[in-house]
Structure formats: structure tokens, C-alpha cells
Amino acid sequence: CQKPNSTAMKESAKHYRHVQHPEDPAFCQYQSFDRLKTATALDFLECIGRSGCIAPAKYSDICVDMNNLDVPALPLNIIPKNVLNGKWRKVFTTGWDLWPCQWTEFWAPQTSEEEQSPDSWMTEWPHNPNVWRMDLYWKNANDAYFTFHMDNEMYVGDTWNFNNPKSAPATLRTRAIMWSTEAHENWYLLDWTEEWNTMMIYYCAYTSAVNRFDSITMVLQRDDS
């Protein structure tokens, strides 16, 4: 991320142009693919790169009807608590929300406030044993000085009642407040691969201030994998 014009970055960008938004400045995000060595990971890269079994990135404001799934979304506790707790990176998304130098950090319920203090608007974390915290960080350019930050409360086993279409029972719902705007998401955990600490999530997001839905699938991988 610090040297976007380096030979290594240019080679990585060229190699993974097919992943998302060929002209996107977030090439540092794609470099994480170079660290994936397992057969499962290589199959995944083949899938999104050439076979095309995952749809290319495009914006959608109509959420998927998750009531039509053959099996329900996975529960969050399928991921060990000590694995989920920590820093993750986004390695794939079907949406617009891939930013330069982006990372996600999850905080378990009942985390010590000396380790991470709750934001002023939070009502449940860290005291509620069923509520996690998620912090998002990103820059709007590789060389940007300022890092954006948004945090969320994650209510495990709970669902927002959207009607775009009617919400199916979700793995969890999230609530975030940023710039005085509140956003809600229903998360559906579709896959968890223990072999390389990777999860695939579909989420339907709603921002009431602009009356807007976003429909996105993403893959997160633990940063130290």
C-alpha cells in the first residue's frame, strides 16, 4: 500500500485485474491473493478469475431473497471465537465497497474496556455476551494521510425486518453510526473455510438517511493467515 507504483505492486495489479474494477486504485488489496497457496485457495482464484462462477462486480440495490436458500445461513459460532476475534482483510467483493488499504477488526463480547473502549453511541457492546463489535478502516487513496474509521455493533442471531424482499433469518444484524447517519445490515454467513481462515458473507444493507439498499457478497480472510 505504501508503494503503489513499485514493480511488485504493478505485477500484482496486472495479474489480478480480473478480480474487480480493473481501474480501481485499490491494487494493494489484490496483493493479498499472492499469499494464498493452498489448493482450496487456488481453486477459488481460478473460479473468480477465469471460470466465472462468481459474478463480476456490479452494483445492486435489490437484496437477494435468502428465504429461497436450500439450507439456512451458517451460525456465527461455526467460526472459533479466538479466530474471529482479530484483524481481517477483504479479498473479494461483488460490490463497490473495496477501498485502498482496507481492513476489518472484530472484537469479542466482554472485551476489556481498557483494551478497546466502546464508542459513545454503543448501547450493547462490550457488556452483552451476544454482541460483537466490528471496526472498519480504509483510505480513499493509496497515499492518503487520513484513515477513515467506522465501527458497528453486531447482534448475533438477530435480523432487521427489511422488505426488499422480506428478510430471512440472518446470521447476525449490524448497526453503525457514522457522520450522524445510521446504517443497518443483515449478514448471512455462506461459507467458512478453516483451512485458510476465510469466510464468505452475503449482506443486505440499508441506510435510512438516503433510503438506499445495497446488496453485496464479500470474502474476508484473517490477516495472519
Side-chain angles (χ1 to χ4, degrees):
C1 296
Q2 304 304 319
K3 300 178 180 178
N5 296 316
S6 68
T7 300
M9 277 299 201
K10 288 181 177 179
E11 286 300 311
S12 183
K14 180 180 178 181
H15 189 62
Y16 297 117
R17 285 181 67 86
H18 58 272
V19 177
Q20 180 187 340
H21 304 313
E23 304 306 322
D24 195 300
F27 289 143
C28 61
Q29 194 74 31
Y30 306 154
Q31 194 176 38
S32 63
F33 283 123
D34 292 325
R35 301 175 60 183
L36 305 182
K37 304 298 181 184
T38 66
T40 306
L42 295 176
D43 285 346
F44 176 74
L45 293 179
E46 172 66 24
C47 169
I48 64 174
R50 287 165 287 281
S51 302
C53 59
I54 293 181
K58 61 181 180 180
Y59 170 72
S60 176
D61 59 359
I62 300 175
C63 293
V64 175
D65 188 352
M66 303 301 281
N67 292 289
N68 291 329
L69 287 181
D70 292 333
V71 294
L74 298 171
L76 190 67
N77 63 12
I78 197 173
I79 305 175
K81 183 177 180 179
N82 66 308
V83 175
L84 181 59
N85 192 80
K87 187 176 178 181
W88 295 66
R89 61 182 177 271
K90 185 179 295 184
V91 297
F92 177 77
T93 178
T94 59
W96 48 264
D97 64 333
L98 186 62
W99 305 97
C101 308
Q102 176 177 318
W103 69 96
T104 302
E105 192 162 9
F106 295 102
W107 298 90
Q110 301 176 325
T111 295
S112 167
E113 292 192 28
E114 285 73 27
E115 183 177 359
Q116 180 75 338
S117 59
D119 205 343
S120 59
W121 62 266
M122 292 183 170
T123 59
E124 301 290 337
W125 188 89
H127 306 296
N128 188 324
N130 204 45
V131 175
W132 282 71
R133 170 178 173 157
M134 175 180 63
D135 286 66
L136 305 177
Y137 301 88
W138 71 95
K139 298 181 179 182
N140 59 9
N142 287 316
D143 57 353
Y145 173 76
F146 182 76
T147 298
F148 291 93
H149 173 222
M150 181 176 72
D151 44 24
N152 300 252
E153 285 188 330
M154 306 171 67
Y155 310 90
V156 178
D158 207 350
T159 308
W160 293 110
N161 293 317
F162 300 147
N163 283 300
N164 184 39
K166 182 179 179 181
S167 299
T171 301
L172 59 89
R173 64 180 174 93
T174 75
R175 174 175 177 252
I177 297 178
M178 184 177 184
W179 300 319
S180 300
T181 299
E182 184 163 338
H184 298 166
E185 297 176 358
N186 282 333
W187 280 32
Y188 298 86
L189 180 60
L190 303 180
D191 184 69
W192 157 245
T193 304
E194 183 178 6
E195 182 181 9
W196 43 298
N197 288 337
T198 302
M199 55 178 161
M200 178 178 284
I201 301 139
Y202 168 75
Y203 66 94
C204 176
Y206 178 65
T207 306
S208 59
V210 292
N211 191 28
R212 165 173 160 164
F213 283 93
D214 290 290
S215 178
I216 295 173
T217 301
M218 64 181 176
V219 175
L220 302 179
Q221 182 179 51
R222 195 177 154 88
D223 193 59
D224 53 5
S225 299

